[in-house]
Amino acid sequence: MKIDIPLSSGKTLVGEAGEEHAISARALLSRLAGQAAGLAPGESIDVEIDWSLVRLLADETNVTASEPDYHGDPKRFTPSLAFTCGILDAQRKLLQGLQLAGNPPDANSYTRIADTALHAVSAVGVRRAEPDRIFTGWQIVSTERGPDDQFGQYRPIEFAARHPAWLAAMSLPPGWAFRCVGRTVLDCVSPDDVTHAVMISVDV
C-alpha cells in the first residue's frame, strides 16, 4: 500500500509497504521528513536509519523513498520499504516483549561472523560492549561451529537478505545473546544468563 506524509516544503513524502507494516512505514517516513523537505526536484540523498539505508528522490510534487534491492542487487534501489519495515516490526516486537530499549547497529558498522554461520540454518550471536560504532560488538557463529572457524567482518546490507532474523535480534543491547533458526528468533539470553523464549518470525 502507498503511505504518504506531507512535508514542510509543500511536497509529499511517499513510500510503499504492506498494510501489516503501515505503522512502521509511517514512523520511518516521519524520521526522514526533515531530509526529504530540503530536496529540490531531481535531487536525491541516501539516508542511514540505524542499520538501514533509504534513498530519497524528489520530483516536482513528491519525494519517493526507496530501499536497496536486498533480494537482488543491493547496490540498486527499489521504490519500496517492505523489507526495511518488516525488520523494524520484528525489532519492535522483540524489544517490547523483553521491555528493552533498542540499540541497533549502524548501516556501515561491521559484525564479526563465522563463515560457517553465513551458510548455516541455525546460529547464535553474542554482543559485547564496543566503544567504536564502526563495530557492532556482535559475534555470530553457527550452532555447529568447529574449532577452525574462519571469521569475516560484514555490514548489515551484506547479510540482510539471507539472515533477516539476525537483524531483528541485533537490536538487543550489549551483554545480550540470541539464537536463530532460519528466519525465526527462537530465544534471547540476558546479561544475567536468563533465557527468554520469543519465537519471532521475520517474513520479508
Side-chain angles (χ1 to χ4, degrees), residues 123-150:
V124 295
V126 179
R127 191 176 198 180
R128 70 177 191 278
E130 177 58 64
D132 190 341
R133 287 291 294 184
I134 195 64
F135 300 106
T136 66
W138 283 105
Q139 176 171 291
I140 301 175
V141 300
S142 167
T143 55
E144 299 179 359
R145 63 176 301 186
D148 300 321
D149 271 352
Q150 300 295 311

mmCIF file with all atom_site columns, all heavy atoms in Angstrom, residues 123-150:
data_model
loop_
_atom_site.group_PDB
_atom_site.id
_atom_site.type_symbol
_atom_site.label_atom_id
_atom_site.label_alt_id
_atom_site.label_comp_id
_atom_site.label_asym_id
_atom_site.label_entity_id
_atom_site.label_seq_id
_atom_site.pdbx_PDB_ins_code
_atom_site.Cartn_x
_atom_site.Cartn_y
_atom_site.Cartn_z
_atom_site.occupancy
_atom_site.B_iso_or_equiv
_atom_site.pdbx_formal_charge
_atom_site.auth_seq_id
_atom_site.auth_comp_id
_atom_site.auth_asym_id
_atom_site.auth_atom_id
_atom_site.pdbx_PDB_model_num
ATOM 1   N N   . ALA A 1 123 ? 22.045 -20.391 14.088 1.00 0.00 ? 123 ALA A N   1
ATOM 2   C CA  . ALA A 1 123 ? 23.197 -19.598 14.520 1.00 0.00 ? 123 ALA A CA  1
ATOM 3   C C   . ALA A 1 123 ? 22.893 -18.921 15.843 1.00 0.00 ? 123 ALA A C   1
ATOM 4   O O   . ALA A 1 123 ? 21.730 -18.737 16.221 1.00 0.00 ? 123 ALA A O   1
ATOM 5   C CB  . ALA A 1 123 ? 23.551 -18.542 13.477 1.00 0.00 ? 123 ALA A CB  1
ATOM 6   N N   . VAL A 1 124 ? 23.964 -18.577 16.550 1.00 0.00 ? 124 VAL A N   1
ATOM 7   C CA  . VAL A 1 124 ? 23.837 -17.810 17.784 1.00 0.00 ? 124 VAL A CA  1
ATOM 8   C C   . VAL A 1 124 ? 24.714 -16.567 17.685 1.00 0.00 ? 124 VAL A C   1
ATOM 9   O O   . VAL A 1 124 ? 25.762 -16.567 17.023 1.00 0.00 ? 124 VAL A O   1
ATOM 10  C CB  . VAL A 1 124 ? 24.237 -18.636 19.026 1.00 0.00 ? 124 VAL A CB  1
ATOM 11  C CG1 . VAL A 1 124 ? 23.287 -19.798 19.222 1.00 0.00 ? 124 VAL A CG1 1
ATOM 12  C CG2 . VAL A 1 124 ? 25.666 -19.134 18.921 1.00 0.00 ? 124 VAL A CG2 1
ATOM 13  N N   . GLY A 1 125 ? 24.268 -15.504 18.337 1.00 0.00 ? 125 GLY A N   1
ATOM 14  C CA  . GLY A 1 125 ? 25.037 -14.266 18.379 1.00 0.00 ? 125 GLY A CA  1
ATOM 15  C C   . GLY A 1 125 ? 25.177 -13.776 19.798 1.00 0.00 ? 125 GLY A C   1
ATOM 16  O O   . GLY A 1 125 ? 24.256 -13.938 20.607 1.00 0.00 ? 125 GLY A O   1
ATOM 17  N N   . VAL A 1 126 ? 26.323 -13.198 20.101 1.00 0.00 ? 126 VAL A N   1
ATOM 18  C CA  . VAL A 1 126 ? 26.598 -12.628 21.419 1.00 0.00 ? 126 VAL A CA  1
ATOM 19  C C   . VAL A 1 126 ? 27.160 -11.228 21.202 1.00 0.00 ? 126 VAL A C   1
ATOM 20  O O   . VAL A 1 126 ? 28.019 -11.023 20.328 1.00 0.00 ? 126 VAL A O   1
ATOM 21  C CB  . VAL A 1 126 ? 27.603 -13.480 22.216 1.00 0.00 ? 126 VAL A CB  1
ATOM 22  C CG1 . VAL A 1 126 ? 27.878 -12.845 23.570 1.00 0.00 ? 126 VAL A CG1 1
ATOM 23  C CG2 . VAL A 1 126 ? 27.079 -14.896 22.392 1.00 0.00 ? 126 VAL A CG2 1
ATOM 24  N N   . ARG A 1 127 ? 26.700 -10.266 22.008 1.00 0.00 ? 127 ARG A N   1
ATOM 25  C CA  . ARG A 1 127 ? 27.150 -8.878  21.836 1.00 0.00 ? 127 ARG A CA  1
ATOM 26  C C   . ARG A 1 127 ? 27.935 -8.401  23.052 1.00 0.00 ? 127 ARG A C   1
ATOM 27  O O   . ARG A 1 127 ? 27.462 -8.465  24.176 1.00 0.00 ? 127 ARG A O   1
ATOM 28  C CB  . ARG A 1 127 ? 25.946 -7.952  21.617 1.00 0.00 ? 127 ARG A CB  1
ATOM 29  C CG  . ARG A 1 127 ? 26.356 -6.547  21.174 1.00 0.00 ? 127 ARG A CG  1
ATOM 30  C CD  . ARG A 1 127 ? 25.152 -5.675  20.881 1.00 0.00 ? 127 ARG A CD  1
ATOM 31  N NE  . ARG A 1 127 ? 25.519 -4.525  20.067 1.00 0.00 ? 127 ARG A NE  1
ATOM 32  C CZ  . ARG A 1 127 ? 24.658 -3.586  19.647 1.00 0.00 ? 127 ARG A CZ  1
ATOM 33  N NH1 . ARG A 1 127 ? 23.376 -3.675  19.996 1.00 0.00 ? 127 ARG A NH1 1
ATOM 34  N NH2 . ARG A 1 127 ? 25.081 -2.589  18.902 1.00 0.00 ? 127 ARG A NH2 1
ATOM 35  N N   . ARG A 1 128 ? 29.106 -7.899  22.781 1.00 0.00 ? 128 ARG A N   1
ATOM 36  C CA  . ARG A 1 128 ? 29.904 -7.268  23.834 1.00 0.00 ? 128 ARG A CA  1
ATOM 37  C C   . ARG A 1 128 ? 29.852 -5.757  23.645 1.00 0.00 ? 128 ARG A C   1
ATOM 38  O O   . ARG A 1 128 ? 29.514 -5.258  22.570 1.00 0.00 ? 128 ARG A O   1
ATOM 39  C CB  . ARG A 1 128 ? 31.357 -7.755  23.774 1.00 0.00 ? 128 ARG A CB  1
ATOM 40  C CG  . ARG A 1 128 ? 32.132 -7.247  22.569 1.00 0.00 ? 128 ARG A CG  1
ATOM 41  C CD  . ARG A 1 128 ? 33.586 -7.689  22.595 1.00 0.00 ? 128 ARG A CD  1
ATOM 42  N NE  . ARG A 1 128 ? 34.370 -6.994  21.599 1.00 0.00 ? 128 ARG A NE  1
ATOM 43  C CZ  . ARG A 1 128 ? 34.441 -7.332  20.326 1.00 0.00 ? 128 ARG A CZ  1
ATOM 44  N NH1 . ARG A 1 128 ? 33.741 -8.356  19.866 1.00 0.00 ? 128 ARG A NH1 1
ATOM 45  N NH2 . ARG A 1 128 ? 35.188 -6.631  19.478 1.00 0.00 ? 128 ARG A NH2 1
ATOM 46  N N   . ALA A 1 129 ? 30.200 -5.032  24.681 1.00 0.00 ? 129 ALA A N   1
ATOM 47  C CA  . ALA A 1 129 ? 30.260 -3.576  24.580 1.00 0.00 ? 129 ALA A CA  1
ATOM 48  C C   . ALA A 1 129 ? 31.381 -3.193  23.621 1.00 0.00 ? 129 ALA A C   1
ATOM 49  O O   . ALA A 1 129 ? 32.468 -3.768  23.661 1.00 0.00 ? 129 ALA A O   1
ATOM 50  C CB  . ALA A 1 129 ? 30.500 -2.964  25.953 1.00 0.00 ? 129 ALA A CB  1
ATOM 51  N N   . GLU A 1 130 ? 31.106 -2.239  22.753 1.00 0.00 ? 130 GLU A N   1
ATOM 52  C CA  . GLU A 1 130 ? 32.084 -1.816  21.746 1.00 0.00 ? 130 GLU A CA  1
ATOM 53  C C   . GLU A 1 130 ? 32.114 -0.295  21.715 1.00 0.00 ? 130 GLU A C   1
ATOM 54  O O   . GLU A 1 130 ? 31.122 0.345   21.351 1.00 0.00 ? 130 GLU A O   1
ATOM 55  C CB  . GLU A 1 130 ? 31.691 -2.380  20.381 1.00 0.00 ? 130 GLU A CB  1
ATOM 56  C CG  . GLU A 1 130 ? 32.585 -1.953  19.242 1.00 0.00 ? 130 GLU A CG  1
ATOM 57  C CD  . GLU A 1 130 ? 34.033 -2.332  19.452 1.00 0.00 ? 130 GLU A CD  1
ATOM 58  O OE1 . GLU A 1 130 ? 34.335 -3.537  19.500 1.00 0.00 ? 130 GLU A OE1 1
ATOM 59  O OE2 . GLU A 1 130 ? 34.860 -1.395  19.593 1.00 0.00 ? 130 GLU A OE2 1
ATOM 60  N N   . PRO A 1 131 ? 33.241 0.337   22.100 1.00 0.00 ? 131 PRO A N   1
ATOM 61  C CA  . PRO A 1 131 ? 33.282 1.794   22.163 1.00 0.00 ? 131 PRO A CA  1
ATOM 62  C C   . PRO A 1 131 ? 33.236 2.476   20.804 1.00 0.00 ? 131 PRO A C   1
ATOM 63  O O   . PRO A 1 131 ? 32.821 3.627   20.710 1.00 0.00 ? 131 PRO A O   1
ATOM 64  C CB  . PRO A 1 131 ? 34.618 2.074   22.872 1.00 0.00 ? 131 PRO A CB  1
ATOM 65  C CG  . PRO A 1 131 ? 35.454 0.862   22.610 1.00 0.00 ? 131 PRO A CG  1
ATOM 66  C CD  . PRO A 1 131 ? 34.497 -0.287  22.569 1.00 0.00 ? 131 PRO A CD  1
ATOM 67  N N   . ASP A 1 132 ? 33.647 1.791   19.762 1.00 0.00 ? 132 ASP A N   1
ATOM 68  C CA  . ASP A 1 132 ? 33.687 2.380   18.421 1.00 0.00 ? 132 ASP A CA  1
ATOM 69  C C   . ASP A 1 132 ? 32.466 1.910   17.634 1.00 0.00 ? 132 ASP A C   1
ATOM 70  O O   . ASP A 1 132 ? 32.292 0.717   17.396 1.00 0.00 ? 132 ASP A O   1
ATOM 71  C CB  . ASP A 1 132 ? 34.981 1.952   17.717 1.00 0.00 ? 132 ASP A CB  1
ATOM 72  C CG  . ASP A 1 132 ? 35.214 2.718   16.424 1.00 0.00 ? 132 ASP A CG  1
ATOM 73  O OD1 . ASP A 1 132 ? 34.247 3.296   15.886 1.00 0.00 ? 132 ASP A OD1 1
ATOM 74  O OD2 . ASP A 1 132 ? 36.362 2.714   15.943 1.00 0.00 ? 132 ASP A OD2 1
ATOM 75  N N   . ARG A 1 133 ? 31.609 2.846   17.192 1.00 0.00 ? 133 ARG A N   1
ATOM 76  C CA  . ARG A 1 133 ? 30.376 2.488   16.497 1.00 0.00 ? 133 ARG A CA  1
ATOM 77  C C   . ARG A 1 133 ? 30.617 1.844   15.134 1.00 0.00 ? 133 ARG A C   1
ATOM 78  O O   . ARG A 1 133 ? 29.689 1.326   14.522 1.00 0.00 ? 133 ARG A O   1
ATOM 79  C CB  . ARG A 1 133 ? 29.495 3.718   16.318 1.00 0.00 ? 133 ARG A CB  1
ATOM 80  C CG  . ARG A 1 133 ? 28.828 4.215   17.577 1.00 0.00 ? 133 ARG A CG  1
ATOM 81  C CD  . ARG A 1 133 ? 27.767 3.290   18.101 1.00 0.00 ? 133 ARG A CD  1
ATOM 82  N NE  . ARG A 1 133 ? 26.603 3.148   17.242 1.00 0.00 ? 133 ARG A NE  1
ATOM 83  C CZ  . ARG A 1 133 ? 25.526 2.438   17.553 1.00 0.00 ? 133 ARG A CZ  1
ATOM 84  N NH1 . ARG A 1 133 ? 25.473 1.782   18.708 1.00 0.00 ? 133 ARG A NH1 1
ATOM 85  N NH2 . ARG A 1 133 ? 24.510 2.342   16.719 1.00 0.00 ? 133 ARG A NH2 1
ATOM 86  N N   . ILE A 1 134 ? 31.843 1.855   14.643 1.00 0.00 ? 134 ILE A N   1
ATOM 87  C CA  . ILE A 1 134 ? 32.130 1.178   13.383 1.00 0.00 ? 134 ILE A CA  1
ATOM 88  C C   . ILE A 1 134 ? 32.006 -0.329  13.546 1.00 0.00 ? 134 ILE A C   1
ATOM 89  O O   . ILE A 1 134 ? 31.861 -1.071  12.579 1.00 0.00 ? 134 ILE A O   1
ATOM 90  C CB  . ILE A 1 134 ? 33.525 1.567   12.844 1.00 0.00 ? 134 ILE A CB  1
ATOM 91  C CG1 . ILE A 1 134 ? 33.666 1.157   11.359 1.00 0.00 ? 134 ILE A CG1 1
ATOM 92  C CG2 . ILE A 1 134 ? 34.625 0.951   13.674 1.00 0.00 ? 134 ILE A CG2 1
ATOM 93  C CD1 . ILE A 1 134 ? 32.750 1.854   10.420 1.00 0.00 ? 134 ILE A CD1 1
ATOM 94  N N   . PHE A 1 135 ? 32.055 -0.812  14.790 1.00 0.00 ? 135 PHE A N   1
ATOM 95  C CA  . PHE A 1 135 ? 31.866 -2.229  15.082 1.00 0.00 ? 135 PHE A CA  1
ATOM 96  C C   . PHE A 1 135 ? 30.611 -2.396  15.938 1.00 0.00 ? 135 PHE A C   1
ATOM 97  O O   . PHE A 1 135 ? 30.395 -1.634  16.878 1.00 0.00 ? 135 PHE A O   1
ATOM 98  C CB  . PHE A 1 135 ? 33.076 -2.816  15.806 1.00 0.00 ? 135 PHE A CB  1
ATOM 99  C CG  . PHE A 1 135 ? 34.351 -2.713  15.015 1.00 0.00 ? 135 PHE A CG  1
ATOM 100 C CD1 . PHE A 1 135 ? 35.325 -1.792  15.379 1.00 0.00 ? 135 PHE A CD1 1
ATOM 101 C CD2 . PHE A 1 135 ? 34.559 -3.515  13.909 1.00 0.00 ? 135 PHE A CD2 1
ATOM 102 C CE1 . PHE A 1 135 ? 36.501 -1.676  14.649 1.00 0.00 ? 135 PHE A CE1 1
ATOM 103 C CE2 . PHE A 1 135 ? 35.728 -3.412  13.172 1.00 0.00 ? 135 PHE A CE2 1
ATOM 104 C CZ  . PHE A 1 135 ? 36.699 -2.495  13.538 1.00 0.00 ? 135 PHE A CZ  1
ATOM 105 N N   . THR A 1 136 ? 29.809 -3.413  15.626 1.00 0.00 ? 136 THR A N   1
ATOM 106 C CA  . THR A 1 136 ? 28.560 -3.608  16.356 1.00 0.00 ? 136 THR A CA  1
ATOM 107 C C   . THR A 1 136 ? 28.770 -4.256  17.721 1.00 0.00 ? 136 THR A C   1
ATOM 108 O O   . THR A 1 136 ? 27.905 -4.153  18.596 1.00 0.00 ? 136 THR A O   1
ATOM 109 C CB  . THR A 1 136 ? 27.595 -4.514  15.561 1.00 0.00 ? 136 THR A CB  1
ATOM 110 O OG1 . THR A 1 136 ? 28.145 -5.837  15.467 1.00 0.00 ? 136 THR A OG1 1
ATOM 111 C CG2 . THR A 1 136 ? 27.365 -3.960  14.155 1.00 0.00 ? 136 THR A CG2 1
ATOM 112 N N   . GLY A 1 137 ? 29.882 -4.961  17.892 1.00 0.00 ? 137 GLY A N   1
ATOM 113 C CA  . GLY A 1 137 ? 30.090 -5.739  19.101 1.00 0.00 ? 137 GLY A CA  1
ATOM 114 C C   . GLY A 1 137 ? 29.531 -7.145  19.008 1.00 0.00 ? 137 GLY A C   1
ATOM 115 O O   . GLY A 1 137 ? 29.779 -7.980  19.879 1.00 0.00 ? 137 GLY A O   1
ATOM 116 N N   . TRP A 1 138 ? 28.771 -7.426  17.933 1.00 0.00 ? 138 TRP A N   1
ATOM 117 C CA  . TRP A 1 138 ? 28.190 -8.749  17.752 1.00 0.00 ? 138 TRP A CA  1
ATOM 118 C C   . TRP A 1 138 ? 29.199 -9.730  17.152 1.00 0.00 ? 138 TRP A C   1
ATOM 119 O O   . TRP A 1 138 ? 29.969 -9.372  16.264 1.00 0.00 ? 138 TRP A O   1
ATOM 120 C CB  . TRP A 1 138 ? 26.979 -8.697  16.822 1.00 0.00 ? 138 TRP A CB  1
ATOM 121 C CG  . TRP A 1 138 ? 25.733 -8.178  17.463 1.00 0.00 ? 138 TRP A CG  1
ATOM 122 C CD1 . TRP A 1 138 ? 25.168 -6.946  17.285 1.00 0.00 ? 138 TRP A CD1 1
ATOM 123 C CD2 . TRP A 1 138 ? 24.881 -8.873  18.375 1.00 0.00 ? 138 TRP A CD2 1
ATOM 124 N NE1 . TRP A 1 138 ? 24.028 -6.830  18.030 1.00 0.00 ? 138 TRP A NE1 1
ATOM 125 C CE2 . TRP A 1 138 ? 23.825 -8.002  18.715 1.00 0.00 ? 138 TRP A CE2 1
ATOM 126 C CE3 . TRP A 1 138 ? 24.916 -10.147 18.938 1.00 0.00 ? 138 TRP A CE3 1
ATOM 127 C CZ2 . TRP A 1 138 ? 22.816 -8.366  19.592 1.00 0.00 ? 138 TRP A CZ2 1
ATOM 128 C CZ3 . TRP A 1 138 ? 23.915 -10.513 19.816 1.00 0.00 ? 138 TRP A CZ3 1
ATOM 129 C CH2 . TRP A 1 138 ? 22.865 -9.634  20.135 1.00 0.00 ? 138 TRP A CH2 1
ATOM 130 N N   . GLN A 1 139 ? 29.169 -10.960 17.659 1.00 0.00 ? 139 GLN A N   1
ATOM 131 C CA  . GLN A 1 139 ? 29.854 -12.079 17.024 1.00 0.00 ? 139 GLN A CA  1
ATOM 132 C C   . GLN A 1 139 ? 28.820 -13.175 16.810 1.00 0.00 ? 139 GLN A C   1
ATOM 133 O O   . GLN A 1 139 ? 28.116 -13.562 17.744 1.00 0.00 ? 139 GLN A O   1
ATOM 134 C CB  . GLN A 1 139 ? 31.007 -12.611 17.865 1.00 0.00 ? 139 GLN A CB  1
ATOM 135 C CG  . GLN A 1 139 ? 31.678 -13.848 17.246 1.00 0.00 ? 139 GLN A CG  1
ATOM 136 C CD  . GLN A 1 139 ? 32.957 -14.240 17.957 1.00 0.00 ? 139 GLN A CD  1
ATOM 137 O OE1 . GLN A 1 139 ? 33.951 -13.529 17.892 1.00 0.00 ? 139 GLN A OE1 1
ATOM 138 N NE2 . GLN A 1 139 ? 32.940 -15.384 18.629 1.00 0.00 ? 139 GLN A NE2 1
ATOM 139 N N   . ILE A 1 140 ? 28.724 -13.661 15.571 1.00 0.00 ? 140 ILE A N   1
ATOM 140 C CA  . ILE A 1 140 ? 27.714 -14.652 15.215 1.00 0.00 ? 140 ILE A CA  1
ATOM 141 C C   . ILE A 1 140 ? 28.406 -15.909 14.698 1.00 0.00 ? 140 ILE A C   1
ATOM 142 O O   . ILE A 1 140 ? 29.291 -15.832 13.836 1.00 0.00 ? 140 ILE A O   1
ATOM 143 C CB  . ILE A 1 140 ? 26.747 -14.091 14.150 1.00 0.00 ? 140 ILE A CB  1
ATOM 144 C CG1 . ILE A 1 140 ? 26.050 -12.829 14.697 1.00 0.00 ? 140 ILE A CG1 1
ATOM 145 C CG2 . ILE A 1 140 ? 25.713 -15.138 13.762 1.00 0.00 ? 140 ILE A CG2 1
ATOM 146 C CD1 . ILE A 1 140 ? 25.176 -12.117 13.693 1.00 0.00 ? 140 ILE A CD1 1
ATOM 147 N N   . VAL A 1 141 ? 28.009 -17.040 15.248 1.00 0.00 ? 141 VAL A N   1
ATOM 148 C CA  . VAL A 1 141 ? 28.603 -18.321 14.860 1.00 0.00 ? 141 VAL A CA  1
ATOM 149 C C   . VAL A 1 141 ? 27.490 -19.334 14.595 1.00 0.00 ? 141 VAL A C   1
ATOM 150 O O   . VAL A 1 141 ? 26.360 -19.186 15.075 1.00 0.00 ? 141 VAL A O   1
ATOM 151 C CB  . VAL A 1 141 ? 29.548 -18.877 15.956 1.00 0.00 ? 141 VAL A CB  1
ATOM 152 C CG1 . VAL A 1 141 ? 30.695 -17.912 16.221 1.00 0.00 ? 141 VAL A CG1 1
ATOM 153 C CG2 . VAL A 1 141 ? 28.779 -19.170 17.244 1.00 0.00 ? 141 VAL A CG2 1
ATOM 154 N N   . SER A 1 142 ? 27.805 -20.355 13.837 1.00 0.00 ? 142 SER A N   1
ATOM 155 C CA  . SER A 1 142 ? 26.888 -21.466 13.629 1.00 0.00 ? 142 SER A CA  1
ATOM 156 C C   . SER A 1 142 ? 26.782 -22.282 14.913 1.00 0.00 ? 142 SER A C   1
ATOM 157 O O   . SER A 1 142 ? 27.737 -22.387 15.679 1.00 0.00 ? 142 SER A O   1
ATOM 158 C CB  . SER A 1 142 ? 27.395 -22.350 12.483 1.00 0.00 ? 142 SER A CB  1
ATOM 159 O OG  . SER A 1 142 ? 26.692 -23.579 12.450 1.00 0.00 ? 142 SER A OG  1
ATOM 160 N N   . THR A 1 143 ? 25.619 -22.875 15.129 1.00 0.00 ? 143 THR A N   1
ATOM 161 C CA  . THR A 1 143 ? 25.476 -23.752 16.297 1.00 0.00 ? 143 THR A CA  1
ATOM 162 C C   . THR A 1 143 ? 26.282 -25.038 16.130 1.00 0.00 ? 143 THR A C   1
ATOM 163 O O   . THR A 1 143 ? 26.474 -25.774 17.100 1.00 0.00 ? 143 THR A O   1
ATOM 164 C CB  . THR A 1 143 ? 23.997 -24.112 16.534 1.00 0.00 ? 143 THR A CB  1
ATOM 165 O OG1 . THR A 1 143 ? 23.456 -24.689 15.343 1.00 0.00 ? 143 THR A OG1 1
ATOM 166 C CG2 . THR A 1 143 ? 23.201 -22.874 16.915 1.00 0.00 ? 143 THR A CG2 1
ATOM 167 N N   . GLU A 1 144 ? 26.738 -25.295 14.921 1.00 0.00 ? 144 GLU A N   1
ATOM 168 C CA  . GLU A 1 144 ? 27.576 -26.467 14.659 1.00 0.00 ? 144 GLU A CA  1
ATOM 169 C C   . GLU A 1 144 ? 29.011 -26.034 14.357 1.00 0.00 ? 144 GLU A C   1
ATOM 170 O O   . GLU A 1 144 ? 29.697 -26.630 13.537 1.00 0.00 ? 144 GLU A O   1
ATOM 171 C CB  . GLU A 1 144 ? 27.005 -27.276 13.502 1.00 0.00 ? 144 GLU A CB  1
ATOM 172 C CG  . GLU A 1 144 ? 25.600 -27.793 13.782 1.00 0.00 ? 144 GLU A CG  1
ATOM 173 C CD  . GLU A 1 144 ? 25.025 -28.569 12.615 1.00 0.00 ? 144 GLU A CD  1
ATOM 174 O OE1 . GLU A 1 144 ? 25.713 -28.685 11.581 1.00 0.00 ? 144 GLU A OE1 1
ATOM 175 O OE2 . GLU A 1 144 ? 23.891 -29.053 12.736 1.00 0.00 ? 144 GLU A OE2 1
ATOM 176 N N   . ARG A 1 145 ? 29.449 -24.980 15.017 1.00 0.00 ? 145 ARG A N   1
ATOM 177 C CA  . ARG A 1 145 ? 30.772 -24.429 14.745 1.00 0.00 ? 145 ARG A CA  1
ATOM 178 C C   . ARG A 1 145 ? 31.860 -25.458 15.052 1.00 0.00 ? 145 ARG A C   1
ATOM 179 O O   . ARG A 1 145 ? 31.728 -26.312 15.922 1.00 0.00 ? 145 ARG A O   1
ATOM 180 C CB  . ARG A 1 145 ? 31.017 -23.157 15.560 1.00 0.00 ? 145 ARG A CB  1
ATOM 181 C CG  . ARG A 1 145 ? 31.024 -23.357 17.060 1.00 0.00 ? 145 ARG A CG  1
ATOM 182 C CD  . ARG A 1 145 ? 31.369 -22.084 17.796 1.00 0.00 ? 145 ARG A CD  1
ATOM 183 N NE  . ARG A 1 145 ? 32.668 -21.569 17.406 1.00 0.00 ? 145 ARG A NE  1
ATOM 184 C CZ  . ARG A 1 145 ? 33.264 -20.527 17.978 1.00 0.00 ? 145 ARG A CZ  1
ATOM 185 N NH1 . ARG A 1 145 ? 32.659 -19.892 18.958 1.00 0.00 ? 145 ARG A NH1 1
ATOM 186 N NH2 . ARG A 1 145 ? 34.440 -20.115 17.581 1.00 0.00 ? 145 ARG A NH2 1
ATOM 187 N N   . GLY A 1 146 ? 32.948 -25.319 14.318 1.00 0.00 ? 146 GLY A N   1
ATOM 188 C CA  . GLY A 1 146 ? 34.100 -26.180 14.531 1.00 0.00 ? 146 GLY A CA  1
ATOM 189 C C   . GLY A 1 146 ? 35.253 -25.401 15.119 1.00 0.00 ? 146 GLY A C   1
ATOM 190 O O   . GLY A 1 146 ? 35.192 -24.170 15.259 1.00 0.00 ? 146 GLY A O   1
ATOM 191 N N   . PRO A 1 147 ? 36.330 -26.083 15.471 1.00 0.00 ? 147 PRO A N   1
ATOM 192 C CA  . PRO A 1 147 ? 37.471 -25.409 16.106 1.00 0.00 ? 147 PRO A CA  1
ATOM 193 C C   . PRO A 1 147 ? 38.253 -24.510 15.161 1.00 0.00 ? 147 PRO A C   1
ATOM 194 O O   . PRO A 1 147 ? 39.023 -23.663 15.607 1.00 0.00 ? 147 PRO A O   1
ATOM 195 C CB  . PRO A 1 147 ? 38.332 -26.578 16.597 1.00 0.00 ? 147 PRO A CB  1
ATOM 196 C CG  . PRO A 1 147 ? 37.977 -27.707 15.678 1.00 0.00 ? 147 PRO A CG  1
ATOM 197 C CD  . PRO A 1 147 ? 36.524 -27.530 15.365 1.00 0.00 ? 147 PRO A CD  1
ATOM 198 N N   . ASP A 1 148 ? 38.042 -24.692 13.866 1.00 0.00 ? 148 ASP A N   1
ATOM 199 C CA  . ASP A 1 148 ? 38.823 -23.937 12.881 1.00 0.00 ? 148 ASP A CA  1
ATOM 200 C C   . ASP A 1 148 ? 37.987 -22.917 12.126 1.00 0.00 ? 148 ASP A C   1
ATOM 201 O O   . ASP A 1 148 ? 38.264 -22.598 10.965 1.00 0.00 ? 148 ASP A O   1
ATOM 202 C CB  . ASP A 1 148 ? 39.492 -24.900 11.885 1.00 0.00 ? 148 ASP A CB  1
ATOM 203 C CG  . ASP A 1 148 ? 40.441 -25.869 12.567 1.00 0.00 ? 148 ASP A CG  1
ATOM 204 O OD1 . ASP A 1 148 ? 41.142 -25.430 13.497 1.00 0.00 ? 148 ASP A OD1 1
ATOM 205 O OD2 . ASP A 1 148 ? 40.463 -27.048 12.173 1.00 0.00 ? 148 ASP A OD2 1
ATOM 206 N N   . ASP A 1 149 ? 36.937 -22.413 12.756 1.00 0.00 ? 149 ASP A N   1
ATOM 207 C CA  . ASP A 1 149 ? 36.102 -21.400 12.104 1.00 0.00 ? 149 ASP A CA  1
ATOM 208 C C   . ASP A 1 149 ? 36.931 -20.205 11.650 1.00 0.00 ? 149 ASP A C   1
ATOM 209 O O   . ASP A 1 149 ? 37.786 -19.705 12.396 1.00 0.00 ? 149 ASP A O   1
ATOM 210 C CB  . ASP A 1 149 ? 35.010 -20.903 13.070 1.00 0.00 ? 149 ASP A CB  1
ATOM 211 C CG  . ASP A 1 149 ? 33.747 -21.733 12.981 1.00 0.00 ? 149 ASP A CG  1
ATOM 212 O OD1 . ASP A 1 149 ? 33.656 -22.576 12.077 1.00 0.00 ? 149 ASP A OD1 1
ATOM 213 O OD2 . ASP A 1 149 ? 32.853 -21.540 13.824 1.00 0.00 ? 149 ASP A OD2 1
ATOM 214 N N   . GLN A 1 150 ? 36.643 -19.745 10.437 1.00 0.00 ? 150 GLN A N   1
ATOM 215 C CA  . GLN A 1 150 ? 37.223 -18.513 9.931  1.00 0.00 ? 150 GLN A CA  1
ATOM 216 C C   . GLN A 1 150 ? 36.172 -17.412 10.038 1.00 0.00 ? 150 GLN A C   1
ATOM 217 O O   . GLN A 1 150 ? 34.984 -17.641 9.788  1.00 0.00 ? 150 GLN A O   1
ATOM 218 C CB  . GLN A 1 150 ? 37.667 -18.691 8.475  1.00 0.00 ? 150 GLN A CB  1
ATOM 219 C CG  . GLN A 1 150 ? 38.710 -19.777 8.271  1.00 0.00 ? 150 GLN A CG  1
ATOM 220 C CD  . GLN A 1 150 ? 40.021 -19.445 8.963  1.00 0.00 ? 150 GLN A CD  1
ATOM 221 O OE1 . GLN A 1 150 ? 40.547 -18.337 8.821  1.00 0.00 ? 150 GLN A OE1 1
ATOM 222 N NE2 . GLN A 1 150 ? 40.537 -20.389 9.738  1.00 0.00 ? 150 GLN A NE2 1
#
